[in-house]
């Protein structure tokens, strides 16, 4: 009887121990399979900006002395809900400095008007196919120079871009791009606790415009300490650019077709951005039949191919025969409000309070130097701590290498 009781007790103990072990193994499996549960503080309840879904290894370009991860995380969409976004994180190899790796958030230029697969994380050049399509973006060179200088680089695909994207890409949207960068940095700090709260911003072209918008939203991430911004050839002053291209076409008739195509592409880009936040927007208020017919196709292409399609369409009918953007396109109420909200050159009261470096090439045919100079002067007149530098002979992409040394010196100064 004593032996039987002892055996029963042993079986109860073994059964209890087995249940405990099974429970522990189940918890461990859940945490291991769901990085967001393990690393994002609000993941169990309502989703928040930067909440991490996954962090997986990413093939690092040979020029980088870093480890790389592809992060999937949440960010606020311009459509009003939380959406999943993708961001690359490059962390220098070796031991983190005291206080953690200082972070530089990188904003790429326009890769597309709406094709989500034209995302930097999906191309080896980290530029959404710009180099593959014939433009040497030098984005690998840019990011490598930052990583190799000892900064952790956070490089979002931006809302609506990347394999995981499920919402339209809101082109030229200041709120979206600012929150893409903020959410990407937050996700990176969830994925790697060795990242510092110290942050600087660097962007090129449309990304240059994007980083200029982040300061206004910095309070949404009070745990981050934004120190300053670098904007390379920022894509601003859109209405003035379209007008200037028209004036240039009159002076150089041999370039009239290419310049007309560029004008139409810029207006199409603005219309696409407006449609992303207001799907019922009436395109007929800013463009005529030929450009309207072409727009759905343009949104499915990379920016280089889209440019070629517009050029071909304009060439077929000649600039005068192509029914494209309307002369008063920027004065319609909806478009005027869109530009005022997203183009810092015309945003009422726009200024900056943190150190900012704006660089521009004198031979840039996409972002015109006189307009960038006027925008920078306007900022300086408001008391903004802006430094404006030009690089003789540099175009829209070669300015990246020419300004690189000055950029690194500026970063070292604001992050010291």
């Amino acid at each position: 009887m004593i032996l039987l009781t002892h055996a029963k007790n042993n079986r109860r103990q073994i059964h209890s121990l087995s249940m405990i072990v099974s429970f522990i193994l189940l918890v461990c499996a859940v945490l291991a399979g769901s990085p967001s549960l393990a690393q994002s503080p609000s993941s169990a309840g309502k989703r928040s900006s930067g909440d991490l879904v996954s962090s997986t290894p990413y093939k690092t370009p040979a020029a980088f002395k870093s480890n790389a991860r592809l992060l999937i995380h949440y960010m606020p969409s311009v459509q009003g809900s939380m959406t999943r976004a993708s961001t690359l994180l490059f962390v220098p190899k070796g031991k983190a400095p005291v206080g953690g790796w200082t972070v530089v958030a990188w904003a790429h230029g326009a890769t597309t008007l709406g094709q989500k697969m034209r995302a930097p994380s999906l191309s080896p050049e980290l530029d959404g196919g710009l180099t593959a399509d014939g433009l040497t973006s030098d984005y690998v060179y840019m990011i490598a120079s930052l990583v190799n200088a000892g900064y952790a680089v956070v490089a979002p695909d931006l809302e609506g871009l990347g394999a995981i994207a499920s919402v339209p890409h809101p082109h030229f949207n200041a709120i979206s791009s600012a929150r893409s960068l903020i959410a990407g940095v937050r996700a990176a700090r969830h994925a790697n606790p060795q990242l510092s709260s110290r942050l600087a911003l660097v962007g090129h072209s449309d990304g240059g415009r994007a980083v200029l918008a982040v300061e206004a939203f910095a309070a949404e991430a009070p745990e981050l300490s934004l120190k300053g911004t670098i904007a390379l050839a920022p894509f601003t002053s859109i209405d003035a650019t379209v007008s200037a291209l028209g004036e240039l076409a009159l002076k150089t008739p041999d370039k009239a077709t290419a310049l007309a195509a560029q004008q139409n592409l810029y207006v199409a880009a603005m219309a696409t951005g407006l449609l992303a936040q207001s799907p019922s927007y009436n395109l007929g208020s800013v463009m005529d039949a030929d450009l309207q017919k072409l727009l759905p196709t343009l949104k499915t292409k990379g920016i280089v191919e889209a440019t070629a399609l517009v050029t071909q369409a304009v060439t077929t009918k000649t600039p005068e025969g192509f029914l494209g953007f309307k002369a008063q396109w920027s004065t319609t109420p909806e478009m005027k409000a869109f530009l005022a909200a997203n183009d810092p050159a015309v945003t009422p009261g726009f200024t900056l309070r943190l150190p900012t470096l704006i660089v521009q090439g004198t031979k840039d045919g996409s972002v015109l130097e006189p307009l960038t100079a006027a925008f920078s002067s306007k900022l300086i007149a408001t008391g903004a701590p802006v430094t404006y530098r030009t690089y003789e002979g540099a175009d829209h992409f070669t300015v990246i290498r020419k300004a690189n040394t000055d950029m690194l010196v500026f970063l070292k100064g604001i992050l010291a």
Side-chain angles (χ1 to χ4, degrees), residues 47-79:
R47 298 293 183 185
S48 295
S49 172
D51 278 359
L52 193 62
V53 176
S54 65
S55 171
T56 56
Y58 183 85
K59 185 178 180 180
T60 309
F64 289 42
K65 299 174 183 176
S66 72
N67 298 304
R69 311 284 294 183
L70 174 64
L71 312 179
I72 305 300
H73 58 88
Y74 284 92
M75 68 162 289
S77 169
V78 294
Q79 296 185 341

Side-chain angles (χ1 to χ4, degrees), residues 1-14:
M1 183 67 177
I2 293 175
L3 290 174
L4 181 60
T5 301
H6 184 68
K8 287 181 179 179
N9 287 338
N10 282 343
R11 284 197 295 270
R12 290 193 191 99
Q13 291 171 358
I14 292 170

